[in-house]
Amino acid sequence: STSGLVTAKGVGTATITVTTNSGGKTAKCVVTVVNKEDPQPTDGDVVYTFGSISGKPGEEVLVPLTVNAKQAATTFGLSGLRYDSGMMEFVGFTDFTELAERSLLGTKGFDDDKQTITLGYTAPEKISGKICSLKFRILGSVEEGSSSITMNGKALNGSTALTVGVQSGTVTVKSYLLGDVDLNETVDIYDVVLLLQHSMFEDVYPVSYPGSLDFNHDGAVDIYDAVLLLQYSMFPDIYPISQ
């Protein structure tokens, strides 16, 4: 553009080069265009990641929050919690881990009212792992749908700001419990056994589970789905499933 005005056409990253008419001097800058719903990029020196979870109307769900600091920092923070308030309400921060508890502020760095998180350390650290969970209560009037979960992230090494990425999570509302194949209000080994039997003898072991049983999304319902369901029943944060 000869006027110097640059207009974004889509999400992505572009290098803008300017050359002067006099002297032929050049300057470059990198411009990153992001979605308005997700105002921060998803990668950086420090990346915050919100997990995805499913729940039923009226239930409380926990959305895990993790961090991966590729560069050392002394202070980590998040603010501006965004979610669909017509679908659920924020209850508070909970399920704190060692990363949170050994911060200078400890659990006092988690402000439920102002919906902010502040972690501070005496020396720069490349912290990595789960920080806490965000507890939400799904409204009883909700039928089915989903809401993205995100916050604005910051990280400082002393007074120097680091680049930050935030990967949004999702709360999906379903009228049934995800993975509850036998519809008894819990996900356990009995669901795994029924799924395996159903995958072998569909007519002999029918199920009325309303969702897809292809939990690993490979186009088939088989032993691999049963194995993933077993892992999910034990460690849902480590082996998540989705529809």
Side-chain angles (χ1 to χ4, degrees), residues 33-47:
V33 179
V34 298
N35 192 308
K36 289 182 179 179
E37 297 297 322
D38 216 0
Q40 285 192 301
T42 58
D43 198 11
D45 295 330
V46 175
V47 177

Side-chain angles (χ1 to χ4, degrees), residues 3 16 20 74 136-137 141 188 190 193 200 210 231 237-238:
S3 67
I16 309 299
T20 62
T74 53
F136 293 91
R137 182 179 297 110
S141 58
D188 52 29
Y190 302 109
V193 171
M200 292 293 293
Q231 294 170 319
D237 292 341
I238 301 176

Side-chain angles (χ1 to χ4, degrees), residues 16-222:
I16 309 299
T17 303
V18 178
T19 303
T20 62
N21 291 326
S22 175
K25 296 181 179 180
T26 63
K28 295 183 179 181
C29 71
V30 177
V31 176
T32 301
V33 179
V34 298
N35 192 308
K36 289 182 179 179
E37 297 297 322
D38 216 0
Q40 285 192 301
T42 58
D43 198 11
D45 295 330
V46 175
V47 177
Y48 299 102
T49 301
F50 292 88
S52 295
I53 197 75
S54 296
K56 296 193 297 184
E59 281 189 336
E60 289 189 345
V61 294
L62 297 177
V63 177
L65 170 63
T66 60
V67 62
N68 179 22
K70 304 168 190 175
Q71 299 294 329
T74 53
T75 313
F76 303 81
L78 296 111
S79 64
L81 175 62
R82 297 185 297 284
Y83 62 95
D84 186 351
S85 59
M87 178 176 293
M88 56 193 178
E89 58 183 357
F90 177 64
V91 177
F93 301 107
T94 187
D95 197 18
F96 305 108
T97 66
E98 181 265 347
L99 286 181
E101 292 175 345
R102 67 181 178 82
S103 159
L104 292 174
L105 296 176
T107 57
K108 292 183 179 179
F110 296 80
D111 191 328
D112 293 341
D113 293 332
K114 299 190 181 209
Q115 300 177 354
T116 62
I117 297 174
T118 306
L119 304 177
Y121 301 94
T122 55
E125 292 196 33
K126 292 183 179 181
I127 65 173
S128 181
K130 182 177 177 180
I131 298 174
C132 68
S133 293
L134 286 72
K135 181 184 287 188
F136 293 91
R137 182 179 297 110
I138 300 173
L139 302 181
S141 58
V142 176
E143 293 183 357
E144 293 194 349
S146 63
S147 170
S148 64
I149 308 296
T150 192
M151 298 178 75
N152 301 319
K154 292 182 65 177
L156 302 173
N157 187 6
S159 59
T160 301
L162 303 181
T163 61
V164 171
V166 178
Q167 297 183 356
S168 301
T170 303
V171 172
T172 301
V173 181
K174 294 185 175 296
S175 58
Y176 59 94
L177 180 62
L178 185 65
D180 180 19
V181 179
D182 60 8
L183 303 180
N184 70 344
E185 300 295 321
T186 187
V187 180
D188 52 29
I189 187 65
Y190 302 109
D191 297 292
V192 177
V193 171
L194 179 56
L195 175 55
L196 181 57
Q197 292 171 322
H198 176 75
S199 71
M200 292 293 293
F201 307 106
E202 183 176 351
D203 295 337
V204 180
Y205 299 99
V207 298
S208 55
Y209 180 73
S212 170
L213 297 172
D214 182 17
F215 295 120
N216 67 350
H217 306 291
D218 67 351
V221 176
D222 51 30

